[in-house]
């Protein structure tokens, strides 16, 4: 409630009249908003520890790995980029985009530290249904997904981290092979940006 023409007790000064406008900073002070190359993230992060000891094994930033053209070619809404992290100091660092033509369908790409692809596959042998491997850009790429046939993921080693690209179709899911084709195509479009 805004009071007009009142005197503030003890100061004998009139209170402000009209609407009071407070400007909020567009970027939280002191929170990093760029990748290791100085390129701005496609959103404003509020997490001071978005980059942390659980995901610093590669300089690759998934949010900036794909060009706007590659995002469009993948059927993604460029403006839908959101932080994959739901909390500060989360191990997964990356982005989630929405597909333009499929309601609720998303593609995410994240990084998290790991001791190589073989160790990662062994560690997640219970929760990931491994479907095989392929080679993209001369690099080994594992393919897998969650049980249920609505998600397909690719896994690529980058430095001492793994880059995971995940295509997810919760409703009216196409066949799993088509979902995997989307994850593989996006990995192909970004793999040259991932340090070895």
């Amino acid at each position: 409630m805004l009071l007009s023409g009142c005197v503030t007790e003890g100061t004998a000064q009139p209170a402000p009249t009209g609407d009071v406008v407070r400007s909020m900073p567009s970027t939280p002070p002191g929170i990093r908003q760029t990748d290791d190359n100085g390129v701005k993230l496609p959103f404003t992060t509020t997490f001071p520890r978005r980059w942390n000891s659980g995901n610093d094994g590669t300089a690759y930033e998934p949010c900036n790995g794909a060009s706007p053209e590659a995002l469009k070619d993948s059927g993604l809404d460029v403006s839908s980029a959101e932080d994959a992290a739901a909390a500060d100091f989360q191990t997964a660092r990356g982005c989630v985009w929405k597909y333009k033509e499929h309601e609720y369908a998303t593609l995410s790409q994240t990084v998290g530290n790991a001791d190589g692809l073989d160790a990662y596959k062994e560690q997640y042998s219970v929760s990931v249904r491994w479907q095989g491997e392929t080679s993209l850009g001369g690099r080994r790429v594992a393919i897998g997904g969650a049980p249920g046939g609505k998600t397909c993921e690719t896994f690529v080693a980058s430095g001492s981290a793994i880059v995971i690209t995940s295509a997810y179709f919760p409703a009216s899911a196409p066949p799993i092979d088509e979902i995997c084709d989307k994850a593989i195509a996006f990995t192909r479009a970004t793999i040259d940006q991932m340090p070895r």
Side-chain angles (χ1 to χ4, degrees), residues 54-55 90-93 110-132 142-147 153-156 160-164:
N55 61 39
Q90 189 165 319
T91 300
R93 170 175 52 86
T110 58
V111 300
N113 292 353
D115 293 326
L117 191 55
D118 288 328
Y120 188 89
K121 287 176 70 174
E122 177 65 29
Q123 182 178 355
Y124 292 97
S125 61
V126 174
S127 59
V128 176
R129 183 180 298 155
W130 297 105
Q131 299 172 5
I143 302 166
E153 300 171 310
T154 64
F155 305 82
V156 180
S160 57
I162 297 291
V163 179
I164 304 169

Side-chain angles (χ1 to χ4, degrees), residues 104-192:
Y104 307 117
T106 60
L107 183 126
S108 65
Q109 192 173 68
T110 58
V111 300
N113 292 353
D115 293 326
L117 191 55
D118 288 328
Y120 188 89
K121 287 176 70 174
E122 177 65 29
Q123 182 178 355
Y124 292 97
S125 61
V126 174
S127 59
V128 176
R129 183 180 298 155
W130 297 105
Q131 299 172 5
E133 294 188 4
T134 190
S135 179
L136 297 174
R139 295 170 72 176
R140 188 173 154 219
V141 179
I143 302 166
K150 296 181 179 183
T151 303
C152 188
E153 300 171 310
T154 64
F155 305 82
V156 180
S158 177
S160 57
I162 297 291
V163 179
I164 304 169
T165 303
S166 179
Y168 172 62
F169 285 77
S172 303
I176 193 66
D177 289 347
E178 289 182 29
I179 298 173
C180 286
D181 287 346
K182 293 179 183 304
I184 292 167
F186 194 80
T187 304
R188 183 180 293 112
T190 56
I191 198 164
D192 289 343

